[in-house]
């Protein structure tokens, strides 16, 4: 699997991935996350322009996954409840990960790529997103507490620090 920066021409394919991910979440008991068209085409276009959006291609060059990778302080992570971050060192955050469902290992590839770029990664997910919670646990992330996103809703916050490779 190849990971590269998303391009403006990728936007339709990325939005199809997000449509698939919303449907997948609803089918797996997570109907409250990514509602009302979130993430919007405008948000993803902005992420592409800022260099935060990445596309995951299979061996044939088809985009089978996407995620946003952002280095630096995430304002929603400044306050954490029911716990604490593992450290206050510089970190990167992964947001809005989605896949087509056609190819196994997309999440692992995204996290492996991220850890090659930054050894201190934070993520958050909805309490009903058991799939992402299981991925975080499998990849050695520590549950650190609860953060609140811009609309005030809570998310479970995770962090992974270290130089050791992610278990596959």
């Amino acid at each position: 699997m190849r990971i590269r920066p998303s391009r403006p021409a990728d936007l339709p394919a990325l939005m199809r991935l997000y449509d698939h991910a919303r449907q997948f979440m609803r089918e797996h008991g997570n109907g409250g996350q990514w509602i009302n068209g979130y993430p919007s085409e405008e948000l993803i276009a902005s992420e592409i322009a800022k260099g935060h959006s990445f596309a995951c291609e299979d061996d044939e060059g088809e985009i089978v996954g996407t995620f946003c990778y952002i280095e630096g302080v995430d304002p929603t992570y400044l306050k954490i409840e029911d716990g604490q971050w593992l450290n206050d060192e510089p970190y990167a955050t992964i947001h809005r990960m989605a896949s087509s469902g056609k190819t196994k290992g997309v999440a692992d590839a995204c996290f492996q790529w991220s850890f090659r770029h930054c050894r201190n990664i934070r993520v958050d997910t909805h309490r009903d997103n058991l799939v992402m919670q299981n991925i975080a646990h499998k990849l050695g992330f520590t549950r650190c507490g609860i953060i609140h996103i811009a609309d005030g809703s809570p998310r479970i916050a995770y962090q992974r620090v270290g130089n050791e490779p992610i278990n596959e």
Side-chain angles (χ1 to χ4, degrees):
M1 194 166 312
R2 185 172 90 90
I3 296 177
R4 61 164 175 80
S6 301
R7 300 183 286 258
D10 297 330
L11 191 56
L14 300 182
M15 296 315 295
R16 284 191 297 275
L17 294 177
Y18 287 117
D19 287 342
H20 178 269
R22 281 189 289 272
Q23 179 65 32
F24 177 87
M25 287 192 280
R26 283 192 299 274
E27 291 171 358
H28 290 86
N30 185 14
Q33 187 177 0
W34 291 7
I35 58 174
N36 302 322
Y38 181 87
S40 70
E41 190 169 314
E42 294 77 21
L43 174 61
I44 301 307
S46 171
E47 298 279 346
I48 292 170
K50 292 175 186 172
H52 296 162
S53 177
F54 292 84
C56 310
E57 295 178 331
D58 66 12
D59 293 339
E60 287 75 45
E62 179 181 354
I63 297 175
V64 295
T66 187
F67 65 103
C68 290
Y69 171 88
I70 305 169
E71 292 184 354
V73 175
D74 185 317
T76 60
Y77 289 3
L78 293 175
K79 182 178 179 187
I80 187 167
E81 300 171 352
D82 191 30
Q84 63 185 21
W85 294 112
L86 300 178
N87 63 43
D88 292 323
E89 296 171 14
Y91 62 91
T93 306
I94 299 171
H95 289 297
R96 293 176 284 286
M97 187 178 294
S99 79
S100 65
K102 296 179 184 177
T103 304
K104 287 200 169 283
V106 170
D108 284 350
C110 294
F111 281 112
Q112 293 284 8
W113 180 94
S114 298
F115 265 101
R116 284 193 297 276
H117 290 82
C118 181
R119 304 311 288 174
N120 194 12
I121 303 288
R122 294 180 182 183
V123 298
D124 66 85
T125 193
H126 193 278
R127 71 176 178 265
D128 294 335
N129 193 338
L130 300 180
V131 172
M132 185 53 76
Q133 291 175 48
N134 288 335
I135 290 169
H137 176 73
K138 174 186 154 215
L139 296 178
F141 280 80
T142 299
R143 183 191 185 281
C144 293
I146 303 294
I147 57 100
H148 290 85
I149 60 173
D151 72 3
S153 60
R155 296 291 185 266
I156 302 170
Y158 295 89
Q159 185 174 6
R160 185 174 186 276
V161 181
N163 294 320
E164 68 279 358
I166 295 174
N167 294 329
E168 295 188 57

